[in-house]
Every structure is written in C-alpha cells, then in structure tokens.
Amino acid sequence: MALDLFLMVVGLTLLMVGGEAVVRGATGLARALGVSPLVIGLTVVAFGTSAPELAINLIAAWDGRPAISFGNIIGSNLANIGVVVGATSLFRPILVRGVVIARELPMMLLATAAAVVMGFDRVLGMGTDAFDRADGLMLLMLFLVFLYYTIGDFVRERRSANGAADEDEEQSAAAEALGKNALITLAGLVGLVGGAEITVDAAVDLARAFGVPEVVIGLTVLAIGTSLPELVASILATARGHADLAVGNVVGSNIFNLLLVCGITSLVTPIVIPPGGHLDLLMLALLSLVLFGVAMTGKRQIVRLEAGLLLFSYIGYLTWRAGQAML
C-alpha cells in the first residue's frame, strides 16, 4: 500500500510537469501554424489527453472486462464535464466562443445521443443492451465526420495565416519554432499519459485491496484518473490566458472518447451495458445538456455558480452511484 501511495505521488508529479509542457507547446504550435488554440485543443491536445482512456479500454476489452471499459468511457466524460469544466471554471470563469458553440458542442451532444440510443437496444427491440461492432463502426464514421470539419478549419486558418505571413516577420519567426514546439507538446503528452497510467494503476490496486466492484473502479478511480490530463491541461491553459484551449480540450476529449475510444473498443469486443449503466448514460446526457445550456446563456461564459452546479451534480451522482453499486 505504501508503494502505491508513492507511485501516485510520482504520477501526479508527471501530470503537472506534462500538463505545463502541453499547454506551452500547444500554444506555441498554434502561433507557429497560424491557427487558434481552440483548434489545437480540439485535435492535438484532445487526442493526447484521451490516450489513457484508449489504452486502458483496449486492455480491458482484450481481457474481457466490459464493465471497466464502459465505466471508464462514460465515467471519463462525466468527469470531464463535472470535474474538469467545473473546477476550471471555479478557478476562473471561461468564455465560450465561436466554433465551440456553433459546431463542437452540438457535435458532442450528437455523439452523446448516439451512445444513449445504442445503449438501449432492448427498448428498441434489438436484443442485448451493448455497444456491438455495428455500433462501433457507426461511431467511427461519426468520428471521421468530426475530423473532416475540424481539419477543414485548420486548413482554412492555415491558408489565411500564410497569406498574412508574407508581410509579418513575427509570424515567420514563429513558424521557424514549429519543430521545437512540436517536441515540447509531444514530451508533455508523454508525461501526461505516463503520469496518468502510473496514478491509475496505483489507485486501482488500492481500490481492489478494499474490494470495490469493477464497474465502480471504472466510473470513479479510472474515470477520474484518466481525466487528470484534461484537468491539468485545462487549468494550466486557463491560468495562462488560453481558455479556448481548455474548452476545446474538454469538448474534443469527450468526442474522442465516445466516437474513437468507444468505437475502436467495440470493434475489439462488444461492451455490454453493466447494471446501472443506463442511468450513467442518462446522467451523461443530462450533464451534456446542462453544459450546452450554461454555455449559451448570458455572455456565453461559464461562471462560478454554473461551475459549482456542474461539479456538485457530478459529485452527488457519483457518490450515490458508488453507494448503489456497493450494496
């Protein structure tokens, strides 16, 4: 047990160092490429911070542990909204702009709706409630649509930046730093993934020592643990004045988790909905709608009161859910 606690400290240290490097490198990449931090957050950072979920779910699927896969995917998305957005907005209110509201938040809602529908097969008269291989293919097709539009944004912004770069020496100098910023970002992502892996492994060993069910491990320890990269990256990005990167990271990560991670995992082996899983799906849909709603209100800013609503709703549900599963 002492070794597990030590490893958790090591993992959390790697997360902090890696998160700082990701934010610094990603913002540098955005300047060098002439695109907004939001696009980098939706793609590079979101994919990197979703890597722990992908690795853990593929291993769990291969080992025949669908409860862990389900709990980690859905639980990570719940944690991204409740903990990452909630804690980050409590630290400093986040302004939600442009493409996040216009397309990415609705895309996240679409991905969530698709997952909810696919999880209620019996209601639709389609047999066992599970994400099967057909569902996995559909999710991956939706992911390709997301990539198409996001990369289209990247290309358009890049062309616009190239047009201005001929007359802007500062832009040209930033472009020369592309390789350096890419290496910093890559090193940071390695630190985030490695730190998350160490932290999660230690936490799972501790949870199992106390006899916690696998679905609870997936929803709590693994979900929160694999959301630590998003939390660290988002808080540091907000602290450095790049709230766009923080919002893009969370929204992009949720889309990656549902469409890419769940899609690939379902192709490896069907993910059967565990007991209580339908409530988890409905809670994810509810929190996603609340996030969309608070982002659309007033000045399109997630203020501390709204952040508190997200955070405490998540904590309340997770406490109740863990208690029910332990009975």
Side-chain angles (χ1 to χ4, degrees):
M1 186 173 292
L3 176 61
D4 291 327
L5 291 173
F6 171 74
L7 289 175
M8 287 188 70
V9 173
V10 173
L12 290 171
T13 302
L14 279 174
L15 281 169
M16 294 299 297
V17 175
E20 174 67 22
V22 165
V23 173
R24 184 183 306 169
T27 53
L29 276 177
R31 287 194 298 269
L33 293 171
V35 300
S36 67
L38 174 61
V39 174
I40 298 295
L42 283 165
T43 53
V44 178
V45 179
F47 180 79
T49 54
S50 290
E53 284 93 337
L54 180 58
I56 287 174
N57 279 289
L58 286 177
I59 293 171
W62 189 262
D63 290 342
R65 297 177 179 271
I68 285 183
S69 294
F70 176 87
N72 188 25
I73 293 169
I74 304 305
S76 291
N77 278 27
L78 285 169
N80 282 345
I81 297 174
V83 177
V84 180
V85 174
T88 303
S89 302
L90 280 176
F91 172 72
R92 180 179 296 175
I94 295 177
L95 183 64
V96 184
R97 313 181 192 176
V99 69
V100 176
I101 291 178
R103 192 185 63 231
E104 306 311 333
L105 275 173
M107 185 68 186
M108 187 187 76
L109 288 178
L110 175 62
T112 303
V116 171
V117 171
M118 291 174 182
F120 283 82
D121 291 319
R122 289 184 183 177
V123 175
L124 301 175
M126 300 174 64
T128 305
D129 290 336
F131 298 116
D132 56 24
R133 290 184 173 88
D135 295 332
L137 286 173
M138 291 179 64
L139 292 172
L140 288 175
M141 288 176 64
L142 286 173
F143 179 71
L144 291 177
V145 173
F146 164 72
L147 277 187
Y148 173 79
Y149 283 106
T150 304
I151 292 175
D153 286 340
F154 174 87
V155 172
R156 283 189 292 273
E157 290 191 31
R158 179 63 176 155
R159 286 175 179 170
S160 175
N162 284 339
D166 294 336
E167 301 176 2
D168 191 347
E169 294 181 1
E170 185 176 342
Q171 189 97 3
S172 177
E176 294 176 3
L178 179 63
K180 175 184 176 181
N181 288 313
L183 286 175
I184 293 174
T185 304
L186 179 61
L189 289 173
V190 170
L192 282 177
V193 174
E197 287 292 322
I198 293 172
T199 304
V200 168
D201 286 345
V204 168
D205 288 341
L206 288 171
R208 284 177 174 161
F210 289 100
V212 178
E214 285 190 350
V215 66
V216 176
I217 293 176
L219 279 168
T220 56
V221 179
L222 284 177
I224 295 173
T226 53
S227 291
L228 284 176
E230 285 89 345
L231 178 60
V232 173
S234 294
I235 289 179
L236 290 175
T238 303
R240 293 169 67 93
H242 298 289
D244 278 1
L245 194 152
V247 175
N249 176 29
V250 170
V251 175
S253 181
N254 273 23
I255 293 172
F256 270 74
N257 286 344
L258 286 173
L259 301 185
L260 179 65
V261 177
C262 190
I264 292 178
T265 306
S266 300
L267 289 180
V268 174
T269 185
I271 303 174
V272 178
I273 309 300
H278 296 98
L279 287 175
D280 300 327
L281 287 169
L282 293 174
M283 185 64 184
L284 176 59
L286 177 61
L287 279 185
S288 298
L289 286 170
V290 171
L291 175 60
F292 182 77
V294 298
M296 290 292 291
T297 57
K299 298 179 180 179
R300 293 188 174 180
Q301 187 179 42
I302 303 175
V303 298
R304 288 186 173 89
L305 179 61
E306 296 164 337
L309 172 64
L310 290 172
L311 181 59
F312 289 111
S313 295
Y314 170 78
I315 293 174
Y317 175 76
L318 200 65
T319 302
W320 175 82
R321 179 73 170 86
Q324 291 294 111
M326 294 288 289
L327 292 178

